[in-house]
Amino acid sequence: MKSRISLPVLDPQYGMYVWPCAVVLAQYLWTQREALKDKTVLELGAGVSLPGVVAARCGAKVILSDSARTPLCLENCRRSCGANGLHDVGVLGLTWGEVSPDLVLLPKLDIILGSDVFYEPQDFEDVLVTVAFLLRKNPRARFWTTYQERREQKDKNVNVTQQNQTWTQLETKLCDSNIIQDINEHSKGDNTTPPSHHN
């Protein structure tokens, strides 16, 4: 299977590049190609859309999303679909942490993809709020994500402390331990989820 991806040379928006995590998630999706047929898949922070394109090529009904505030990323999603002959893939502006009409009106989802959505620590809570909302609305859905650890060693202790505070604040803010439990269950101990690396 060959997929073509549309890429500019340089752009300050993260979603304009194929990052290593997208390749890892796309490879995992290919190993799950039989299970993906006819599933409804939403890719969050799709950018160049490699995982979403692969899922669509495997027979899934795919919706690609990126921030409503990044029209270049949304256009790049459309170009990637066009380059791969995928004319029935939806592209939506969904901003993490915002419960927009487009988010509420999404169809029933089977799989939520997030390639490298845990890049900027200040976005973690917004990503989790969005994923938690989607999992609450789609209790049988799975969240498949890949991320790359990028912290420098000297900052590791500070960042881990800040991350622990963020998770604690998120759990308190959501006021629903079942959602946190769902996220944890979807990210570990399930043979259908990609392996994760913990800090």
Side-chain angles (χ1 to χ4, degrees):
M1 176 183 79
K2 291 184 180 178
S3 292
R4 287 170 274 171
I5 303 298
S6 172
L7 284 177
V9 177
L10 289 172
D11 193 280
Q13 295 180 18
Y14 302 134
M16 301 301 282
Y17 301 96
V18 176
W19 297 95
C21 288
V23 176
V24 171
L25 186 55
Q27 288 172 334
Y28 177 77
L29 292 170
W30 180 248
T31 69
Q32 301 297 308
R33 59 190 171 275
E34 292 301 319
L36 284 169
K37 285 183 182 171
D38 299 319
K39 298 291 187 201
T40 302
V41 175
L42 170 68
E43 184 177 4
L44 297 173
V48 177
S49 314
L50 179 60
V53 165
V54 170
R57 296 291 296 266
C58 290
K61 295 172 263 183
V62 175
I63 303 163
L64 302 173
S65 71
D66 213 306
S67 174
R69 298 181 189 123
T70 57
L72 289 177
C73 289
L74 294 170
E75 183 53 36
N76 212 37
C77 291
R78 291 181 189 95
R79 284 197 309 258
S80 291
C81 290
N84 287 283
L86 300 170
H87 305 292
D88 57 348
V89 172
V91 176
L92 232 100
L94 295 178
T95 302
W96 301 330
E98 294 180 10
V99 180
S100 66
D102 285 333
L103 183 69
V104 172
L105 295 173
L106 281 169
K108 179 181 171 290
L109 301 173
D110 298 299
I111 300 166
I112 303 157
L113 302 176
S115 167
D116 227 352
V117 293
F118 297 104
Y119 181 80
E120 291 287 356
Q122 68 264 21
D123 293 334
F124 290 3
E125 183 174 345
D126 288 340
V127 172
L128 289 171
V129 165
T130 299
V131 170
F133 175 85
L134 291 168
L135 290 175
R136 181 182 284 168
K137 185 177 176 211
N138 302 277
R140 294 173 120 2
R142 297 286 182 207
F143 177 46
W144 293 349
T145 187
T146 52
Y147 73 96
Q148 179 180 354
E149 194 170 316
R150 293 182 174 84
R151 293 194 275 283
E152 293 181 24
Q153 187 64 33
K154 65 180 182 178
D155 294 335
K156 191 167 186 170
N157 292 335
V158 173
N159 287 334
V160 168
T161 301
Q162 290 172 344
Q163 184 178 3
N164 287 339
Q165 289 172 350
T166 300
W167 283 97
T168 302
Q169 290 169 357
L170 175 64
E171 187 165 1
T172 303
K173 186 173 182 178
L174 289 176
C175 298
D176 187 348
S177 60
N178 292 331
I179 291 175
I180 299 301
Q181 182 179 354
D182 286 346
I183 291 170
N184 289 333
E185 287 173 5
H186 288 287
S187 65
K188 68 179 181 183
D190 184 337
N191 291 334
T192 61
T193 58
S196 62
H197 303 282
H198 300 286
N199 295 341

